[in-house]
Amino acid sequence: MFSPKMTPFVTFDLRRTILISAILRLALIVYGEWQDSHMVVRYTDIDYSVFSDAADLVLKGNSPFERSTYRYSPLLAFLLVPNSLIHRSWGKFLFSSADLLVGFFVDAILQLRGVPENLRLRSVAAWLFNPFTFTIGTRGNCEPLVCATILWIILCLMNGKAFQAAFWYGLIVHFRVYPIIYSLPLVLVINKANVGLSGKPALQQWGSRLNKLTTGPVPKPSVWSLLRSCITKERILFGLLSGSVFFFWTSLFFYLYGWEFLNEALLYHLTRTDPRHNFSIYFYHIYLHHQHGFSVLEKLISFLPQMMVQLALVFQFFEDVPLCFFAQTVAFVAFNKVITAQYFVWFFCMLPLILPWSSMKLKRKGLLCVLVWMGSQVHWLTWAYLLEFKGQNVFLQLWIASLVFLASNTWVLLMVIKHHRYSPLFEPLTSSPDARKLK
Amino acid sequence: MGTSCHPAARVLVVISICCLCNFISGSEGDPVDSCPEKVGTCTVGHTGSNTPNIVGCLPCSYNYLTASYFDNHNSLLDSEFHDFLAEKIISNDLCKSSVNNIYKIRLSDLNRYLIGEGSHRHLVSTMRFDRKLDASKLQDDYFCETIIIERLPTGVFADPFELQHLVDQRVFLAAGVFGDTNLELPSALSNRSVVEIHMDVGSNIELKSYETVVQLPLHARYPPLDASGYAQVTIGKPDLFLRCRPKDLQKETCSWAVRSLDSKANNVTWQIPCGDEALTHIVSNVTFLSALTCSLLIVLSAVYLKTNISHVIVKDLNDRRDQ
């Protein structure tokens, strides 16, 4: 589909991988139906019934926000209208299709970057056969739609279609808010050479000898020149277009559903704090303060680490877009005030895009990273189980487990960055004489 | 995340009908249940008050007895709630024929306890009913429901969507949650809610006594902070009603005959872990310090690794130029 240059053997392999994944997902959707009707503990995500109820409401001409806890764009409710008209599993098929599409997009992006077939397939499999991701779509979670759109945006950029990328970016920020963290790297990576007027931009290839190169030896632009170079026509246009799309959908739904839409679908996500236990290190702090509220200083202090990390990662790594997005997302989730397990999908979809550039051996450090990350999660879950399902007062232990989880996230992120062969997505706009000589 | 793995049977309402060898013959002539003893009050939570003796009619259009209470009340006060019910269920001639019949069933015993552990438990109410000898006619001509109304304290809540799922599975005839249905807020920021469940009274006309078991899934809110480590939430006795209407219903004149059922019932207490206020400062400080340390590590590593990469590149370029 996206790989016209692939050999028939590889095409077959990709197709077979996708086919097996599709069968797996189909089987899980069917199984989910059975479990829902026969067992008390349901397979289907609780949010899926929320989406379905909201879809039913818009079909009847009502506001989707009449369904309490519906906190998404009304677009999602409209997408799931066939749940009421065709079959209640429509949404699961839609989300699982998006999930498979992510597999296609991973392959397409890696192919454009010149990654060999076997590595591409391994990366695709790292997404498609990740038990965490294939259950997400089949349980009726909408995150695969967001993942597919983000990857599509990267593909658009790589194909020189920056304005199409801007359109989808505006839409997805309206849809799920969190991709707003990618606005700065997106704007920074856009320049004259990759806006598409002069055909496809030049992409750095995986096998390139100098794929560590940025824009020549130790570039140290002054703050003024950095600022001046930031404000270009292409960047302004990208910002304007994506902003317009965002405001178009937001205004449209504000016009249709009023403040309820704005509060539930947008402001709720920006101001969300949850005193109940979750992976975030902030949960116990929030619980201990919930009867008195927070001072402005406390709010600022809790925002500072997130801000610092995001800025540092963006300005250091924006040229290597997949690495930048991955690192930003891991950090964003790790430092967020609320962390639920579904947020992990946000960076799982970026992981296959950076695997081919990692020098980490899967059997050694790679495995260690997986074990540390999973281990700290299981440790947290053990305390959470004792609190939630055994009624034991282990708030303190659970909070310490959250700190351990943050530490493991930090360590794994540092390991990933350390072993990553830094590779800007695009060839530098102005190569140094040295670099040109070496080509 | 794991689950408490309650067996399926825990959620299902089991309507078990059993013969009682020591059926009390004297109960046949009793018009109403005897007045129960006063329920003692507990330290925390709402222990509730006794349901007043209410008998009257209610139009069939009113599905739930309690649905409109919060239209005119901001909070749940037991006395106001009972006044509301008494005003709502009025005596008139519309349900005259049914009223005499609803006395043919009486509640002889109510037993309450919690099952499960942790934040998600089931409140079990076992109701034992006695039926008059001529109650078989009631079964033939009337459709009867038992209504159980729980006035929940702020510390716990019922999930309306979970209850709807049980209604879909025909565990309950109907179930509604009214009042504060926010499922996320802690107790300190919540108000009380009312849960109303409708059950079939049972259809086996042969038996004179039978048991109905209601298992209501409840969830604990995060309680206010307390140094003791645990908060006690007490759930008082419920309001119970029996209502019947003729099976051959005519829409215009359709009316339920409603009667309150009273019985001795024990309060149930739920121990819920809570945060310790004494830890506030240390938790906040360590939280911020950890976040700052981890963020600085990431920032420094990002800067160092990128600089390192640039140096490697320069070295790489120089090496190649020298060659």
Side-chain angles (χ1 to χ4, degrees):
Chain A
M1 184 179 173
F2 294 99
S3 48
K5 287 177 192 168
M6 282 195 297
T7 63
F9 176 74
V10 174
T11 307
F12 173 71
D13 262 2
L14 176 68
R15 283 186 182 164
R16 193 173 58 181
T17 310
I18 299 278
L19 188 69
I20 294 169
S21 312
I23 293 169
L24 176 67
R25 282 153 177 78
L26 182 70
L28 282 171
I29 292 173
V30 173
Y31 167 76
E33 285 293 309
W34 179 85
Q35 183 173 323
D36 287 357
S37 53
H38 289 85
M39 292 170 78
V40 174
V41 179
R42 306 183 74 194
Y43 179 79
T44 303
D45 195 311
I46 184 71
D47 271 354
Y48 188 71
S49 31
V50 177
F51 306 155
S52 302
D53 292 348
D56 202 40
L57 285 166
V58 295
L59 184 66
K60 290 171 184 159
N62 299 341
S63 161
F65 300 99
E66 283 177 23
R67 173 58 163 90
S68 65
T69 72
Y70 182 77
R71 297 196 173 109
Y72 297 86
S73 161
L75 275 177
L76 181 61
F78 282 104
L79 278 175
L80 296 196
V81 162
N83 267 16
S84 307
L85 298 176
I86 302 173
H87 191 271
R88 61 176 179 269
S89 292
W90 158 265
K92 291 182 185 176
F93 282 100
L94 184 74
F95 302 148
S96 296
S97 306
D99 183 356
L100 295 176
L101 209 56
V102 170
F104 274 116
F105 289 166
V106 166
D107 184 71
I109 290 170
L110 295 183
Q111 196 188 22
L112 281 173
R113 300 189 79 187
V115 177
E117 299 86 350
N118 60 336
L119 279 182
R120 290 210 307 268
L121 269 178
R122 279 186 206 176
S123 299
V124 170
W127 165 261
L128 289 178
F129 296 113
N130 181 341
F132 198 87
T133 55
F134 62 66
T135 48
I136 281 276
T138 51
R139 292 185 67 217
N141 194 296
C142 70
E143 303 300 349
L145 283 180
V146 187
C147 294
T149 313
I150 303 281
L151 263 61
W152 178 247
I153 289 167
I154 297 176
L155 259 180
C156 287
L157 283 179
M158 294 171 77
N159 285 313
K161 294 171 183 169
F163 295 127
Q164 203 192 123
F167 169 82
W168 288 106
Y169 183 63
L171 184 67
I172 205 64
V173 173
H174 158 80
F175 191 81
R176 200 65 182 95
V177 189
Y178 90 87
I180 190 77
I181 60 171
Y182 307 136
S183 57
L184 195 54
L186 278 175
V187 166
L188 286 174
V189 86
I190 280 171
N191 58 44
K192 252 184 206 167
N194 55 36
V195 165
L197 296 173
S198 52
K200 280 193 176 186
L203 301 170
Q204 275 216 4
Q205 295 297 293
W206 180 80
S208 163
R209 176 76 176 81
L210 287 174
N211 58 9
K212 286 175 179 173
L213 189 60
T214 55
T215 53
V218 206
K220 287 276 176 202
S222 69
V223 176
W224 170 242
S225 69
L226 193 75
L227 268 177
R228 206 178 48 181
S229 67
C230 276
I231 305 165
T232 64
K233 196 176 79 180
E234 293 76 22
R235 285 170 178 161
I236 290 172
L237 280 175
F238 183 92
L240 276 178
L241 182 57
S242 53
S244 306
V245 174
F246 171 82
F247 282 111
F248 168 76
W249 288 107
T250 307
S251 314
L252 176 71
F253 290 127
F254 180 65
Y255 171 74
L256 288 174
Y257 305 120
W259 280 100
E260 207 172 16
F261 153 69
L262 219 53
N263 285 329
E264 296 291 323
L266 214 65
L267 301 178
Y268 171 82
H269 297 286
L270 295 176
T271 58
R272 183 176 179 187
T273 53
D274 199 339
R276 292 173 310 165
H277 64 277
N278 63 83
F279 287 105
S280 172
I281 54 165
Y282 294 106
F283 94 86
Y284 200 25
H285 161 75
I286 293 170
Y287 175 38
L288 290 172
H289 282 82
H290 80 282
Q291 284 164 276
H292 312 291
F294 301 94
S295 66
V296 180
L297 185 70
E298 281 170 329
K299 283 181 183 171
L300 277 176
I301 291 175
S302 57
F303 186 59
L304 189 69
Q306 181 71 275
M307 194 71 184
M308 273 170 35
V309 169
Q310 291 297 322
L311 287 176
L313 291 172
V314 169
F315 283 108
Q316 289 299 309
F317 301 128
F318 74 89
E319 290 163 306
D320 188 343
V321 176
L323 171 72
C324 184
F325 279 15
F326 174 81
Q328 266 189 288
T329 319
V330 171
F332 178 74
V333 172
F335 290 98
N336 206 13
K337 282 187 183 167
V338 181
I339 306 173
T340 64
Q342 77 182 61
Y343 293 180
F344 302 150
V345 183
W346 296 350
F347 55 77
F348 275 147
C349 68
M350 302 291 171
L351 187 64
L353 300 183
I354 60 168
L355 283 179
W357 283 266
S358 181
S359 61
M360 218 187 279
K361 292 274 179 286
L362 184 64
K363 284 182 183 169
R364 303 180 70 182
K365 275 194 177 162
L367 186 67
L368 187 65
C369 281
V370 173
L371 287 177
V372 166
W373 195 72
M374 294 296 291
S376 62
Q377 231 181 100
V378 171
H379 174 242
W380 186 93
L381 286 169
T382 310
W383 293 113
Y385 175 79
L386 291 177
L387 173 70
E388 185 163 357
F389 296 109
K390 290 287 166 189
Q392 295 179 17
N393 191 334
V394 287
F395 278 110
L396 194 64
Q397 292 91 326
L398 187 59
W399 167 69
I400 292 169
S402 295
L403 296 177
V404 172
F405 186 58
L406 172 71
S408 85
N409 269 306
T410 307
W411 183 78
V412 170
L413 181 60
L414 295 187
M415 283 295 112
V416 169
I417 293 173
K418 190 184 167 194
H419 290 87
H420 182 80
R421 224 158 23 121
Y422 189 73
S423 172
L425 190 61
F426 301 109
E427 288 284 1
L429 187 58
T430 51
S431 297
S432 70
D434 294 324
R436 262 185 253 127
K437 209 166 88 181
L438 286 165
K439 273 183 182 174
Chain B
M1 200 182 292
T3 67
S4 59
C5 300
H6 296 304
R10 287 192 183 183
V11 182
L12 297 177
V13 171
V14 183
I15 302 175
S16 58
I17 301 173
C18 58
C19 285
L20 278 182
C21 20
N22 55 345
F23 178 66
I24 310 153
S25 56
S27 64
E28 283 176 39
D30 297 344
V32 286
D33 301 319
S34 57
C35 186
E37 290 173 13
K38 286 276 180 191
V39 176
T41 53
C42 286
T43 47
V44 185
H46 300 267
T47 54
S49 59
N50 295 328
T51 317
N53 187 12
I54 299 171
V55 183
C57 305
L58 194 73
C60 289
S61 55
Y62 289 95
N63 192 17
Y64 292 104
L65 299 183
T66 51
S68 58
Y69 173 80
F70 287 97
D71 293 349
N72 303 314
H73 300 80
N74 294 324
S75 60
L76 177 62
L77 294 172
D78 291 339
S79 56
E80 283 184 5
F81 184 72
H82 287 142
D83 290 347
F84 163 83
L85 287 176
E87 279 170 28
K88 185 140 186 163
I89 301 163
I90 45 168
S91 292
N92 61 34
D93 291 341
L94 278 176
C95 62
K96 203 175 176 182
S97 61
S98 314
V99 163
N100 294 329
N101 282 301
I102 55 173
Y103 287 109
K104 290 178 179 170
I105 298 174
R106 72 183 279 273
L107 179 72
S108 60
D109 190 31
L110 171 63
N111 191 22
R112 312 239 300 159
Y113 55 93
L114 282 166
I115 55 169
E117 295 173 295
S119 304
H120 313 282
R121 305 179 72 179
H122 288 88
L123 174 60
V124 183
S125 305
T126 308
M127 292 171 281
R128 176 153 291 178
F129 291 99
D130 295 336
R131 220 191 291 248
K132 273 191 172 183
L133 287 176
D134 61 342
S136 58
K137 190 165 165 46
L138 183 72
Q139 296 294 141
D140 292 340
D141 302 335
Y142 289 87
F143 179 68
C144 295
E145 290 178 3
T146 311
I147 299 173
I148 180 161
I149 299 172
E150 300 282 357
R151 286 165 278 122
L152 297 178
T154 54
V156 294
F157 68 91
D159 180 349
F161 307 111
E162 188 179 14
L163 295 189
Q164 187 53 47
H165 185 57
L166 292 174
V167 172
D168 295 342
Q169 290 186 329
R170 300 184 182 181
V171 175
F172 303 137
L173 286 177
V177 184
F178 309 100
D180 191 345
T181 53
N182 189 307
L183 313 180
E184 294 158 344
L185 289 176
S187 304
L189 307 176
S190 303
N191 290 313
R192 297 177 65 189
S193 58
V194 173
V195 182
E196 180 174 332
I197 293 172
H198 295 207
M199 302 285 301
D200 199 343
V201 280
S203 55
N204 196 331
I205 55 169
E206 300 299 322
L207 303 173
K208 290 172 182 170
S209 180
Y210 61 97
E211 239 176 43
T212 298
V213 183
V214 179
Q215 293 195 20
L216 171 66
L218 290 178
H219 309 275
R221 292 185 189 278
Y222 268 31
L225 306 177
D226 194 281
S228 71
Y230 290 91
Q232 312 286 332
V233 172
T234 304
I235 304 168
K237 60 181 288 190
D239 296 313
L240 291 168
F241 291 89
L242 179 72
R243 72 176 189 181
C244 294
R245 65 166 169 76
K247 280 183 176 169
D248 54 336
L249 90 121
Q250 290 161 328
K251 272 191 178 173
E252 306 77 35
T253 55
C254 174
S255 188
W256 290 99
V258 187
R259 177 169 74 95
S260 58
L261 302 170
D262 223 341
S263 174
K264 293 173 188 175
N266 49 313
N267 290 335
V268 288
T269 304
W270 187 338
Q271 202 176 39
I272 302 169
C274 60
D276 185 357
E277 200 165 9
L279 296 172
T280 305
H281 289 298
I282 184 140
V283 166
S284 299
N285 291 340
V286 175
T287 299
F288 290 136
L289 206 66
S290 311
L292 207 62
T293 310
C294 288
S295 61
L296 279 174
L297 269 173
I298 295 174
V299 170
L300 290 175
S301 303
V303 173
Y304 170 75
L305 290 172
K306 182 72 181 295
T307 313
N308 197 31
I309 288 163
S310 301
H311 287 313
V312 170
I313 293 162
V314 175
K315 190 172 177 293
D316 192 33
L317 286 168
N318 290 336
D319 290 349
R320 298 203 66 173
R321 202 165 15 193
D322 293 344
Q323 287 167 14

